[in-house]
Amino acid sequence: MNRRNRRSSRAALALVASLSISAWPAGAPAQTEAPPNLGELLERTPPAEPGVDATGMDPLRRARDALLAAGDASAARNPAEQLVGRPDAASDPRYADDLVRLGMVHTLLGEFDAAERRYFEAADVIRNAEGEFALDLVDVYRALGRSYIRERRFVEAITALEQAQHVSQRNLGLFNDAQAGLIDDLTAAYLGLGDIETAGRLQRERLDNAIRRFGARDPRVVPYRYGLARYYEQSRLRGAAREQYEAALETLEPLGDDAALLEPLRRLLRIDLLLRDRDTARTRIAEILERRPDLPALKRALALTALGDFALARDGDPAAAAAHYAEAWTLLADVPDERERLLGRPEMLDFVAPLTAVDRGARGRPYAWGTIVLRFDVGADGRARDVSVVSAEPAGLVETAYVGRIREAHFRPRIVDAMPAPTTDVRYTHYFRYYVAE
């Protein structure tokens, strides 16, 4: 592939994880929590870069990519299949990329055998054209690994992702930061197997790679600290997560940029809310907002929303929370997409999944992942009502505990016309572990 097509192929890969797993009714977007890191999404990617199209297939590609970006894999199937089914498709320099994207369609539709075949075909095309260690193979192996993760074939996912990492390191060096996403995917696969030790080691290595490259106090290391902290949060190690957010704050403070400090402070506030032991982050956010009325609207709105969350879930003060949310809603009047993303749906604030027998039991026993789907309404006060279980597989293990935790949790309510509003028919999917026979 030429360089432009290589960039297009790499950009396409993000679509594998950019679409939500389950759908909510209108007005209530999906919230799905997978095993740690499995649900972590990449940025949505724009359509492929424009350029010379010797085959005249750009309209089909644009349609396919737009439908994929919109999450409509069923509609994307037809143009994706047309592109690879042409008699002369194999001579097109973008053929491998087209195969990968058709594999993504199959993955999102749950057609994992078909997806696997397409990824293997793409890998063969690239190997034949560029060699066994072509850098373009990283994208294909990673897409294949993510497909295996979705299918819960974690051993195969690790094999594919480690091959991608090997190719990346061979081309870009042992500690290249381009493999950061691969390490996240490998973490997800090892967590799926229940290998918490390896998953944690991988996330620490991801941070260590950045420190070796940039230095421990370089601001470019901060996103890697966030990544490790997210792993700790998802593993219920919130004290360890706090340490990483505090280290990020210490790195950014010498820059003298109040706006930059708001991000780690908001993350620390979330930990404070869950652990219920401090309010230092809340105090500092409030101080920054008071002395910096000139902050960009989005940064200010994010900070105000965080203060509202704290007031609602920690202080039990819905009136103060509503005032913060209203101010944030008004600030985002000129950016309706951001306002909808931040305030247009209920958001869980302090839900803690109940421990299962696996969480409490001895390590080493084989287990599998189960799924529970709950339905409830969220009132304007941020509390769940009429909680019921839509499905649980396997049944009879966790339903009562999950219903209880949802009833105890606080939600940021949907904001309409600057006022908290109720939301009906909210669906929430969560994964849990249970022991299986040897």
Side-chain angles (χ1 to χ4, degrees):
M1 289 187 225
N2 61 36
R3 184 173 299 172
R4 179 177 60 80
N5 291 332
R6 178 179 296 129
R7 288 197 300 269
S8 173
S9 177
R10 288 179 189 155
L13 181 62
L15 290 168
V16 170
S18 69
L19 311 174
S20 65
I21 296 170
S22 60
W24 280 19
Q31 286 192 31
T32 298
E33 186 168 327
N37 280 342
L38 289 185
E40 189 167 322
L41 306 180
L42 298 180
E43 276 189 316
R44 294 186 185 274
T45 53
E49 301 171 33
V52 177
D53 176 30
T55 63
M57 292 296 109
D58 268 355
L60 276 177
R61 290 187 173 107
R62 285 195 293 270
R64 174 201 61 195
D65 296 344
L67 290 165
L68 274 172
D72 193 346
S74 295
R77 181 201 293 273
N78 185 50
E81 289 180 339
Q82 286 187 56
L83 285 162
V84 303
R86 295 172 289 133
D88 60 343
S91 63
D92 190 321
R94 296 168 69 172
Y95 181 52
D97 177 59
D98 290 335
L99 286 168
V100 169
R101 297 200 190 201
L102 179 54
M104 294 174 184
V105 170
H106 288 310
T107 295
L108 294 171
L109 292 174
E111 300 166 356
F112 297 112
D113 290 342
E116 184 181 52
R117 287 196 299 273
R118 295 305 185 182
Y119 295 138
F120 284 163
E121 290 174 26
D124 287 341
V125 170
I126 294 170
R127 279 194 295 263
N128 291 337
E130 302 180 39
E132 191 72 20
F133 300 105
L135 189 57
D136 286 320
L137 287 168
V138 172
D139 295 348
V140 183
Y141 292 144
R142 189 178 179 198
L144 176 62
R146 288 182 161 197
S147 184
Y148 285 143
I149 288 174
R150 279 179 173 260
E151 198 181 2
R152 317 227 178 242
R153 293 167 59 182
F154 297 116
V155 174
E156 292 98 324
I158 290 168
T159 300
L161 294 167
E162 285 183 342
Q163 181 66 11
Q165 188 178 38
H166 173 66
V167 173
S168 173
Q169 292 174 342
R170 186 181 178 96
N171 282 273
L172 303 175
L174 186 62
F175 302 117
N176 75 83
D177 59 336
Q179 63 183 315
L182 283 170
I183 293 175
D184 282 344
D185 294 339
L186 277 165
T187 300
Y190 276 107
L191 284 169
L193 285 177
D195 189 345
I196 297 173
E197 289 80 6
T198 301
R201 175 180 59 78
L202 284 168
Q203 283 298 305
R204 288 187 290 273
E205 286 179 359
R206 182 178 184 270
L207 174 60
D208 289 343
N209 287 350
I211 290 174
R212 286 190 183 96
R213 179 167 182 175
F214 302 121
R217 292 303 177 189
D218 191 298
R220 287 172 290 185
V221 172
V222 167
Y224 297 89
R225 293 198 181 280
Y226 291 162
L228 179 57
R230 283 195 301 272
Y231 161 76
Y232 285 140
E233 284 190 76
Q234 292 163 336
S235 301
R236 304 181 190 237
L237 302 172
R238 296 186 180 92
R242 174 182 274 163
E243 291 176 2
Q244 293 302 320
Y245 291 142
E246 288 174 341
L249 187 63
E250 290 175 6
T251 298
L252 295 173
E253 280 184 311
L255 302 179
D257 183 353
D258 282 339
L261 297 181
L262 286 174
E263 176 67 17
L265 285 170
R266 286 193 298 111
R267 293 170 182 264
L268 281 167
L269 182 143
R270 184 174 65 237
I271 300 295
D272 293 349
L273 189 156
L274 290 167
L275 293 182
R276 310 187 73 83
D277 61 348
R278 302 182 189 177
D279 62 0
T280 307
R282 189 257 298 268
T283 300
R284 292 198 61 184
I285 290 173
E287 289 172 350
I288 290 173
L289 293 180
E290 183 175 358
R291 70 171 175 262
R292 289 293 308 277
D294 59 332
L295 286 170
L298 179 57
K299 287 185 179 295
R300 191 172 187 87
L302 287 167
L304 285 164
T305 301
L307 293 179
D309 295 344
F310 197 93
L312 184 64
R314 174 79 178 271
D315 295 339
D317 190 346
H324 289 308
Y325 296 148
E327 187 176 351
W329 193 90
T330 302
L331 281 168
L332 297 177
D334 294 332
V335 279
D337 289 346
E338 290 293 346
R339 184 163 69 182
E340 176 65 22
R341 181 188 64 81
L342 185 63
L343 300 169
R345 64 186 178 105
E347 187 74 28
M348 280 183 167
L349 301 180
D350 57 356
F351 171 78
V352 178
L355 296 175
T356 67
V358 178
D359 299 317
R360 295 189 297 266
R363 295 178 182 176
R365 290 180 59 188
Y367 66 81
W369 289 98
T371 307
I372 183 169
V373 181
L374 300 121
R375 182 226 162 270
F376 47 91
D377 302 332
V378 174
D381 61 353
R383 303 307 295 265
R385 295 176 174 83
D386 299 325
V387 184
S388 62
V389 177
V390 176
S391 63
E393 180 60 39
L397 297 180
V398 298
E399 291 94 315
T400 300
Y402 270 86
V403 168
R405 287 295 175 87
I406 289 290
R407 286 173 175 161
E408 294 169 357
H410 294 83
F411 295 77
R412 179 193 311 150
R414 182 166 59 102
I415 306 301
V416 178
D417 294 332
M419 296 291 293
T423 305
T424 60
D425 198 24
V426 175
R427 307 270 174 137
Y428 179 65
T429 300
H430 200 274
Y431 296 86
F432 61 90
R433 299 184 297 175
Y434 65 96
Y435 284 126
V436 296
E438 292 285 352

